[in-house]
């Protein structure tokens, strides 16, 4: 029977732990919050002897969890950090894990866990990625292995967040403004229509159009910002869009990078 240690039994960790048990794995979970009903007394007892350790604490606690687990880790084990963080933190966690002889896997969960549980698709990189995929795959988690160092999976997740969290912010702002203008139903239809018809040409038009028409669109977005302020809606994303267009207009369509 596959043995899995779970660190962090919150919304994601608790759900995945239940699903792994239902799939036939032996699971020991630990969380500092007794309300999560951990079945291991501490971090070391959760990870000792586990084929795979899955860390689902938080980015702020990822390094602390790895340090607490290290004394109980050894060769033949996989330590998979599935916390949402940047590549630098993933590499720091790997530096704690690898001297124990355990293999490290940087795991990025690529969809919300609620409603999916262990079936949440994931990316994995690092020396332990392949074995992590071999363990989790039969238990229900589809893991795509990247032939890359720790941090590669995390970087892909954060890059995707630029799009998804950005789109979510635009949707929230557009609906708030439309609601204030008593046009919410119309705006919802506009947003759904855009999403339903989006394809490669849509992306090209958005990118190329922003570059070619940056000056004109800068003025348009200034008017948008003014409208939202009149409606009592703080124009967070609209002001950011205006500033980006202004930069494109000033740099001949190139987005400047920070040194």
């Amino acid at each position: 029977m596959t043995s899995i240690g779970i660190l962090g039994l919150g919304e994601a960790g608790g759900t995945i732990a239940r699903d792994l048990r239902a799939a036939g794995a032996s699971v020991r979970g630990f969380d500092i919050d007794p309300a999560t009903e951990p079945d291991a007394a501490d971090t070391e007892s959760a990870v000792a002897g586990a084929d795979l350790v899955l860390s689902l604490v938080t980015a702020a606690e990822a390094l602390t969890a790895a340090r607490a687990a290290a004394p109980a880790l050894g060769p033949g084990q996989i330590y998979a950090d599935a916390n949402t963080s940047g590549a630098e933190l993933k590499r720091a966690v790997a530096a704690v894990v690898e001297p124990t002889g355990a293999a490290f896997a940087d795991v990025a969960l690529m969809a919300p866990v609620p409603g999916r549980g262990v079936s949440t698709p994931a990316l994995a990189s690092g020396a332990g990625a392949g074995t992590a995929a071999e363990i989790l795959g039969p238990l229900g988690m589809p893991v795509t292995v990247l032939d890359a160092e720790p941090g590669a999976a995390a970087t892909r997740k954060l890059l995707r967040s630029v799009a998804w969290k950005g789109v979510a912010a635009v949707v929230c702002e557009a609906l708030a403004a439309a609601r204030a203008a008593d046009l919410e139903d119309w705006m919802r239809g506009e947003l759904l229509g855009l999403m339903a018809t989006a394809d490669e040409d849509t992306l090209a038009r958005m990118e190329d159009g922003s570059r070619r028409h940056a000056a004109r669109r800068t003025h348009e977005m200034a008017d948008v910002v003014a409208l939202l302020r009149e409606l009592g809606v703080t124009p967070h994303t609209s002001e950011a869009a205006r500033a980006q267009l202004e930069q494109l207009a000033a740099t001949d369509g190139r987005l400047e990078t920070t040194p």
Side-chain angles (χ1 to χ4, degrees), residues 65 81 86 116 152 161 175 187 191 199 229 240 246-247 258:
D81 186 293
R116 294 179 178 84
S161 292
L175 289 177
M187 178 57 76
L191 291 169
D199 56 16
R229 293 194 189 283
E246 185 176 60
Q247 183 187 107
T258 55

Side-chain angles (χ1 to χ4, degrees), residues 133-222:
E134 291 173 1
I135 293 172
L136 291 170
L139 295 171
M141 181 176 285
V143 181
T144 300
V145 177
L146 305 175
D147 185 17
E149 297 298 312
T155 295
R156 283 166 172 75
K157 178 168 183 173
L158 294 183
L159 286 173
R160 199 181 71 159
S161 292
V162 174
W164 288 113
K165 301 306 188 292
V167 168
V170 168
V171 167
C172 289
E173 187 164 299
L175 289 177
R179 198 173 296 123
D182 199 24
L183 292 167
E184 183 177 359
D185 289 344
W186 171 81
M187 178 57 76
R188 286 183 178 275
E190 290 289 301
L191 291 169
L192 290 172
L194 174 61
M195 293 176 183
T197 59
D199 56 16
E200 183 63 33
D201 288 340
T202 306
L203 293 181
R205 287 196 303 273
M206 286 183 174
E207 185 178 26
D208 296 341
S210 293
R211 296 181 190 283
R212 287 188 286 109
H213 305 297
R216 175 176 61 79
R217 292 183 180 183
T218 298
H219 295 295
E220 179 182 345
M221 290 310 297

Side-chain angles (χ1 to χ4, degrees), residues 21-244:
R21 289 191 181 97
S26 171
V27 178
R28 296 191 304 274
F30 176 71
D31 195 296
I32 59 173
D33 183 359
T36 62
E37 300 181 353
D39 47 15
D42 52 30
T43 298
E44 289 191 35
S45 58
V47 309
D51 299 309
L52 172 74
V53 177
L54 191 59
S55 176
L56 285 159
V57 286
T58 64
E61 296 298 323
L63 198 52
T64 299
R67 287 169 176 157
L73 295 174
Q77 291 182 283
I78 306 297
Y79 188 97
D81 186 293
N83 300 295
T84 300
S85 71
E88 183 177 357
L89 179 56
K90 295 285 187 171
R91 290 191 288 266
V93 174
V96 170
V97 170
E98 289 170 345
T100 70
F104 177 78
D106 162 20
V107 174
L109 299 174
M110 300 302 287
V113 172
R116 294 179 178 84
V118 76
S119 66
T120 305
L123 300 178
S125 63
T131 305
E134 291 173 1
I135 293 172
L136 291 170
L139 295 171
M141 181 176 285
V143 181
T144 300
V145 177
L146 305 175
D147 185 17
E149 297 298 312
T155 295
R156 283 166 172 75
K157 178 168 183 173
L158 294 183
L159 286 173
R160 199 181 71 159
S161 292
V162 174
W164 288 113
K165 301 306 188 292
V167 168
V170 168
V171 167
C172 289
E173 187 164 299
L175 289 177
R179 198 173 296 123
D182 199 24
L183 292 167
E184 183 177 359
D185 289 344
W186 171 81
M187 178 57 76
R188 286 183 178 275
E190 290 289 301
L191 291 169
L192 290 172
L194 174 61
M195 293 176 183
T197 59
D199 56 16
E200 183 63 33
D201 288 340
T202 306
L203 293 181
R205 287 196 303 273
M206 286 183 174
E207 185 178 26
D208 296 341
S210 293
R211 296 181 190 283
R212 287 188 286 109
H213 305 297
R216 175 176 61 79
R217 292 183 180 183
T218 298
H219 295 295
E220 179 182 345
M221 290 310 297
D223 290 339
V224 170
V225 167
L227 172 61
L228 265 60
R229 293 194 189 283
E230 290 174 12
L231 293 170
V233 175
T234 303
H236 294 291
T237 62
S238 297
E239 177 57 39
R242 186 208 60 76
Q244 186 185 82

